[in-house]
Amino acid sequence: MLRFEIRQHGKKPYQFESVKSTVFVGRDQSMDLVLDDPRVSRQHAVITSKDGNYFIQDVGGRNPVRVNRKVVVRHLLREGDAVLLGDTLLKFQEAGDGPAGADLGGAGEATEDGSAVVDARETFQNLRDTPDILNSERTVSGTVDDEEEDVVSVGGPARNLRILRNFSELIRNISDRQRLLESALHAALDNLDVKYGFIGLFGPGGELEIRVQRSPRDPAGPISYSSAIVERAQQEGIAILFDAEGDSGPSRAGLDSRSLKQLQISSAMCLPLFKAEEVYGVLYVDDRGRETPFMEEDLYFANILSNLICLAVEKEELYEQIRDENIELKTILHQKNRFISVSPQMKEVQRRVKRVAGFDTTVLLSGESGTGKGLLARAVHDRSMRRVRPFVEVNCSAIEEGLLELELFGCEAGHDIAGVDSRGKAGKLEQADGGTLFLDDVDGMSLDAQAKILSTLEKEAVDRLGSTAGRGVDLRIIAASNRPLSASVEEKIFREDLYYRLKVFQIELAPLRERREDILPLAQHFLSVLQYEDRGPVDLSPRTKELLMAYHWPGNIRELKHFIEEAFLVSNGTTIYPENLPDDLRREDNPQPSGTLSEIEAQHIRKVLQSVNWNKRRASEVLGINRSTLYEKIRLYHIEKQEDLPPGEEDGTPG
């Protein structure tokens, strides 16, 4: 029989006795031993019996379990041991075996099978609040006495703590999400002596996507598992140990055991993974190929492992956020390679850049000339793990066909090419080794050059002109084209096999005329770069803004940049007016309208609204009036979207 003398400040000592083999201790009323102590967690510890011995194990309470003033994770109790939970002292007393009768101090129900659940959300929050608990020297050195090692050597607390510290050290030094999950899964399964398991993440619709798995029977195929366990772990945020063999009735986990028995699984555990208090994934393991089924102590241990995985993923996401902010700050500081965008189209482009940057996937960029494909390629490189290595750019259409191969592949020493050093020359492919090669206007390459690029991608080696021995290269290729490469493939001027090697991940840049929200922010950015080099802040007049918004921009961002530079140079004051703009822009200025002042004003407001896609905030900025004034004039002049007007009233003049 388990017996404690319980002492709490300001209360009389009392006795607790139980004949249960498993006793849960905590503040929650469902616990077997309920402690009314605010420093005790709702589920704080568990006491188990084995071969006549009692063990106390910490299950992730906010405050650690202390035995005889030493912090422990798992401890063999002996006569007179003083266990401190929060501010409550439990004095352990040896007692003979009592009758299998009533529990004199319990408040919970006995576990009918081997199943159990743990409030994983609380234990995760506790571990997050006390991240140094695993690094405490007192934790490791003060857990187990030498004479106890023979009793708990197999799964003892000292070994578990060493595993947890090594596991934490392993995964916290990995900054790539997929590598982190792979390392975490294999380390967790090895430490639990498990052959089958996976880490899965839930998609937006709640569907489970298995990101990394171990399944010796079919390593590459789908792994079988109990969906009922996964669903409950997701819905309730609890860590579950389910024992199918012992399920004679409704289990403590509340699950049907038939699916486990059909899979020949005796026991399984499912541990939720948290992000911002929400379950976003699970760690799942089962005992196929394991000599013994899981015990409750395995559940507590695996729960801490899963919590460490959560913390590592949080750290990886924070690292990615800091890295992006660092890149942004550097580009702002140097005022170059900065991605300026407010339109939904370009926000989606930025999202895709962040998604692909961390991988070595080949990227194909498409868009009209001047839309910023070179800037986008640099953004992918700057956010990748290759950012400290070279970024090499080649404009395939700007180099004569006979010289492009020399530029790309280089030549061997002694190769007889006019104007080339006899000692040989490294091509752009070799210069980009370890980094990124950007092939702009890739459809400008000859078919022969395309074949050699394809060979380089397949062999990961470059053949210099005049050489038969390839030189190994490790690089990422980003390609760009002003027209759809698929059209070039149909016209037989671009190799189909190379096309499919390049289009692994595509990003399309919309022309500037289709994302007019970006015109004024881009113009202001170009002005801010110029004012640092020359004079103070320069602004655009309302009419200048209107002309910029109305222009069709066939040259896209490059043309806008050149127009702003010219206007800046010919203007003298702090404002750029229409007369400072190039002739191409001023030709967009319509002849002076005739009619009353109110008619002219109504026409002008309608044109501005149309130029900004009826975004009234942007229109009020262009017009230089308050938004409330704009709303009043729209009401006064009965201005509506053109498609909503009846025939004959398209001019927007007041009725």
Side-chain angles (χ1 to χ4, degrees):
M1 177 183 292
L2 175 68
R3 179 179 295 166
F4 281 110
E5 181 186 45
I6 300 175
R7 302 176 184 177
Q8 292 178 312
H9 182 70
K11 299 180 180 179
K12 290 181 60 177
Y14 64 95
Q15 294 284 326
F16 172 85
E17 295 180 349
S18 176
V19 295
K20 288 184 177 181
S21 60
T22 302
V23 174
F24 291 91
V25 185
R27 197 178 70 251
D28 193 89
Q29 291 299 315
S30 65
M31 298 294 101
D32 300 302
L33 173 53
V34 180
L35 299 178
D36 184 15
D37 182 339
R39 298 190 68 236
V40 171
S41 298
R42 290 192 299 121
Q43 187 169 337
H44 202 117
V46 64
I47 300 167
T48 57
S49 65
K50 184 177 182 181
D51 300 329
N53 296 306
Y54 286 100
F55 297 86
I56 186 168
Q57 179 157 344
D58 191 338
V59 295
R62 183 178 300 273
N63 295 302
V65 174
R66 287 181 168 85
V67 178
N68 303 327
R69 300 184 179 181
K70 296 178 181 179
V71 176
V72 302
V73 172
R74 187 169 183 270
H75 177 82
L76 171 64
L77 292 171
R78 292 184 171 168
E79 176 75 23
D81 276 348
V83 179
L84 186 65
L85 304 180
D87 292 326
T88 301
L89 182 66
L90 289 74
K91 198 79 172 179
F92 180 68
Q93 299 174 347
E94 290 280 10
D97 292 336
D103 176 7
L104 300 179
E109 296 179 1
T111 305
E112 297 180 4
D113 54 18
S115 304
V117 297
V118 170
D119 187 344
R121 182 176 279 104
E122 181 180 8
T123 58
F124 172 56
Q125 188 61 49
N126 294 341
L127 186 61
R128 176 197 273 163
D129 293 343
T130 56
D132 296 330
I133 188 67
L134 296 179
N135 299 322
S136 169
E137 291 301 323
R138 183 172 55 178
T139 302
V140 177
S141 62
T143 301
V144 176
D145 296 330
D146 293 338
E147 58 268 25
E148 293 176 10
E149 284 288 348
D150 59 332
V151 181
V152 291
S153 58
V154 175
R159 173 184 175 274
N160 286 353
L161 279 169
R162 285 194 296 271
I163 290 172
L164 291 175
R165 294 182 70 179
N166 293 337
F167 183 82
S168 177
E169 188 68 25
L170 168 69
I171 62 178
R172 77 181 180 185
N173 291 322
I174 300 176
S175 58
D176 177 76
R177 171 72 58 84
Q178 187 62 23
R179 285 182 53 234
L180 189 155
L181 295 178
E182 290 172 358
S183 300
L185 177 69
H186 294 310
L189 298 191
D190 290 343
N191 289 322
L192 289 167
D193 190 24
V194 171
K195 295 181 179 179
Y196 287 83
F198 65 81
I199 292 177
L201 304 182
F202 295 110
E207 67 282 359
L208 181 68
E209 177 188 354
I210 296 178
R211 297 293 296 271
V212 57
Q213 69 177 44
R214 181 190 287 181
S215 177
R217 187 174 302 172
D218 187 5
I223 185 172
S224 54
Y225 63 93
S226 170
S227 58
I229 295 180
V230 172
E231 288 173 5
R232 187 173 179 205
Q234 177 190 13
Q235 293 169 2
E236 301 185 25
I238 55 175
I240 302 174
L241 162 60
F242 189 62
D243 184 353
E245 297 298 328
D247 190 25
S248 57
S251 75
R252 183 163 183 163
L255 299 166
D256 182 5
S257 67
R258 286 178 295 178
S259 62
L260 289 174
K261 291 179 178 178
Q262 289 172 355
L263 296 172
Q264 297 182 328
I265 298 172
S266 299
S267 61
M269 295 190 292
C270 189
L271 303 306
L273 304 177
F274 294 98
K275 180 167 63 176
E277 304 301 322
E278 297 296 326
V279 178
Y280 81 102
V282 292
L283 166 63
Y284 173 93
V285 296
D286 61 53
D287 64 358
R288 281 176 287 180
R290 196 173 189 259
E291 293 183 359
T292 58
F294 296 120
M295 306 284 289
E296 288 187 8
E297 62 188 53
D298 295 317
L299 177 65
Y300 307 132
F301 183 63
N303 185 49
I304 297 176
L305 290 179
S306 67
N307 289 343
L308 290 173
I309 294 174
C310 298
L311 293 177
V313 171
E314 280 190 356
K315 191 218 72 165
E316 185 270 339
E317 289 185 341
L318 181 60
Y319 171 82
E320 182 179 350
Q321 178 184 344
I322 293 172
R323 184 184 65 187
D324 289 344
E325 291 175 353
N326 185 40
I327 293 169
E328 182 68 14
L329 288 172
K330 285 181 178 178
T331 55
I332 291 173
L333 179 63
H334 298 292
Q335 288 296 313
K336 64 180 182 181
N337 299 333
R338 190 177 175 194
F339 220 77
I340 306 297
S341 66
V342 297
S343 65
Q345 299 98 314
M346 295 310 293
K347 292 295 185 185
E348 172 64 16
V349 167
Q350 286 182 307
R351 188 184 66 81
R352 289 179 66 81
V353 166
K354 289 182 179 180
R355 177 183 294 180
V356 76
F359 301 90
D360 274 343
T361 306
T362 302
V363 180
L364 177 60
L365 310 177
S366 60
E368 295 179 5
S369 178
T371 49
K373 296 186 292 295
L375 187 64
L376 196 66
R378 169 66 77 168
V380 173
H381 173 77
D382 286 344
R383 285 167 171 78
S384 73
M385 301 301 291
R386 297 177 179 268
R387 60 187 173 276
V388 297
R389 303 296 295 168
F391 176 82
V392 179
E393 182 175 353
V394 180
N395 190 322
C396 301
S397 63
I399 304 174
E400 293 183 18
E401 184 176 332
L403 298 177
L404 181 59
E405 290 189 32
L406 175 63
E407 189 74 11
L408 288 171
F409 303 101
C411 67
E412 195 61 38
H415 196 62
D416 187 18
I417 298 179
V420 177
D421 195 320
S422 61
R423 293 174 295 180
K425 173 188 175 182
K428 297 294 188 183
L429 286 158
E430 286 184 65
Q431 294 173 28
D433 187 28
T436 303
L437 177 66
F438 174 47
L439 298 175
D440 198 8
D441 290 340
V442 68
D443 51 340
M445 284 194 295
S446 67
L447 290 172
D448 288 342
Q450 293 174 31
K452 292 183 178 179
I453 287 288
L454 181 63
S455 175
T456 299
L457 287 172
E458 291 175 344
K459 298 190 304 182
E460 297 184 349
V462 58
D463 296 325
R464 286 187 177 185
L465 299 181
S467 172
T468 56
R471 296 170 180 259
V473 288
D474 171 29
L475 53 82
R476 176 190 205 162
I477 288 186
I478 301 176
S481 175
N482 295 336
R483 63 192 296 255
L485 273 186
S486 57
S488 299
V489 172
E490 292 178 1
E491 297 170 10
K492 307 298 185 183
I493 59 175
F494 199 85
R495 293 180 62 102
E496 186 176 15
D497 46 6
L498 179 58
Y499 168 65
Y500 287 114
R501 285 299 299 264
L502 295 178
K503 66 164 287 190
V504 176
F505 192 91
Q506 291 183 274
I507 302 178
E508 184 174 356
L509 284 163
L512 191 56
R513 63 183 174 274
E514 294 181 7
R515 47 186 177 100
R516 294 186 176 275
E517 304 98 314
D518 295 331
I519 293 174
L520 294 183
L522 284 166
Q524 296 289 359
H525 168 67
F526 296 142
L527 281 175
S528 68
V529 174
L530 293 167
Q531 70 191 29
Y532 287 124
E533 299 175 358
D534 193 295
R535 60 181 189 261
V538 178
D539 202 359
L540 304 168
S541 73
R543 181 58 182 159
T544 300
K545 292 179 180 178
E546 181 183 344
L547 289 173
L548 292 176
M549 294 295 293
Y551 188 59
H552 60 290
W553 299 110
N556 293 294
I557 298 174
R558 185 183 296 119
E559 185 181 21
L560 173 62
K561 183 175 184 290
H562 293 164
F563 278 8
I564 292 297
E565 288 179 356
E566 181 179 342
F568 179 83
L569 292 173
V570 300
S571 65
N572 296 319
T574 59
T575 303
I576 292 179
Y577 294 99
E579 55 265 27
N580 304 132
L581 297 174
D583 292 340
D584 287 346
L585 262 175
R586 281 188 289 162
R587 274 198 291 269
E588 294 289 316
D589 207 356
N590 295 323
Q592 292 298 318
S594 58
T596 65
L597 182 61
S598 60
E599 290 173 341
I600 294 171
E601 185 176 42
Q603 292 173 9
H604 180 57
I605 291 173
R606 168 174 286 282
K607 288 177 182 177
V608 172
L609 284 167
Q610 290 174 335
S611 71
V612 296
N613 295 321
W614 290 81
N615 185 318
K616 297 180 179 60
R617 181 182 64 81
R618 302 292 300 149
S620 63
E621 292 176 358
V622 173
L623 293 167
I625 60 177
N626 293 331
R627 205 184 313 180
S628 58
T629 304
L630 174 61
Y631 277 108
E632 176 61 26
K633 291 185 180 294
I634 290 174
R635 185 195 63 78
L636 177 66
Y637 297 140
H638 306 291
I639 299 174
E640 301 176 15
K641 282 190 177 182
Q642 196 169 41
E643 60 267 26
D644 298 331
L645 290 176
E649 298 185 16
E650 288 88 355
D651 59 350
T653 55

